[in-house]
Amino acid sequence: MTVEEFYVWCEAQDERFEYVDDIVVPRRAVAGASDAHDAIVVNLIGLLFGQLAGTPCRPSTAEKAVRTTIRKSRRPDVTIECSPVTPKAYEARNPIAVFEILSPTTRKNDRSEKLIEYMRLPTPKAIVHIDPDVMDVMFYVRGADDRWEHQRLEAATDVLQIPGTAAAMTLAQVYARVPLPQSDAAADGAP
């Protein structure tokens, strides 16, 4: 089937799939997303919706696909797209940022194959990998010379600023309502 036929087929399915090299691949294990994973997605959508209101940009959920090659269609957990809404579109035409919340079943693929696919697209300015189990974010940003740079964010006060948009949030906002393990110093009562 073509990618377009795949999108139509997906409308009748009860779960989400990706399309990789002519193979339909389930997006998640049957168990679905963890509470922490889901809370981070909701936090991102809420923050981005408010911060991008009144601009040409908007957030999308994993219901919106990103075509990474002619034979691959991925579903990032959250995408930012800066183009008008097309009512019958199933994929982001010009994604400028993609967010993947890592899980045990997707972590390796998110950090390797999918990362390379997203980096090869012409429009993304940022790729964000968020660990739901510990405050740890890998933030990839496309530089002016079209080369990718990355930085690790681990403090609650670290700011995630999405290039080309008005979106900026602290890790405390991204991880709001997500119980995280305390650091050894905090657990020992150290300041």
Side-chain angles (χ1 to χ4, degrees):
M1 82 176 85
T2 66
V3 173
E4 289 76 16
E5 291 168 335
F6 165 73
Y7 293 145
V8 173
W9 175 83
C10 282
E11 284 186 354
Q13 307 310 308
D14 290 336
E15 62 180 301
R16 285 189 299 245
F17 296 87
E18 291 184 343
Y19 189 69
V20 181
D21 297 327
D22 298 326
I23 298 171
V24 176
V25 180
R27 173 69 166 96
R28 299 242 184 274
V30 177
S34 69
D35 275 353
H37 181 121
D38 190 60
I40 291 169
V41 169
V42 170
N43 291 342
L44 288 170
I45 292 293
L47 291 162
L48 293 170
F49 180 82
Q51 293 179 8
L52 298 174
T55 75
C57 302
R58 67 188 183 287
S60 298
T61 66
E63 295 299 320
K64 190 86 169 254
V66 172
R67 189 182 307 208
T68 57
T69 71
I70 195 71
R71 295 172 46 198
K72 291 184 182 177
S73 175
R74 303 295 192 166
R75 294 192 183 272
D77 291 296
V78 176
T79 304
I80 297 175
E81 185 175 12
C82 297
S83 59
V85 172
T86 305
K88 299 287 184 182
Y90 294 99
E91 65 186 23
R93 292 183 314 230
N94 298 301
I96 66 156
V98 293
F99 298 78
E100 293 282 5
I101 290 60
L102 306 175
S103 72
T105 56
T106 66
R107 182 179 308 267
K108 182 178 177 186
N109 193 38
D110 287 341
R111 288 184 167 166
S112 58
E113 184 178 344
K114 285 172 74 173
L115 176 63
I116 292 167
E117 290 174 29
Y118 293 143
M119 286 179 165
R120 288 182 178 162
L121 293 173
T123 59
K125 296 177 184 197
I127 301 165
V128 184
H129 287 163
I130 302 171
D131 190 321
D133 301 321
V134 60
M135 193 170 286
D136 185 13
V137 174
M138 284 301 290
F139 185 39
Y140 301 87
V141 178
R142 188 187 305 261
D145 60 357
D146 215 30
R147 294 175 67 177
W148 287 93
E149 300 172 8
H150 69 278
Q151 79 181 93
R152 173 168 258 135
L153 307 174
E154 298 176 285
T157 56
D158 285 347
V159 176
L160 188 59
Q161 169 70 54
I162 306 303
T165 74
M169 61 205 79
T170 64
L171 292 197
Q173 292 173 303
V174 171
Y175 285 90
R177 299 184 192 103
V178 177
L180 297 172
Q182 292 184 336
S183 69
D184 291 337
D188 293 338

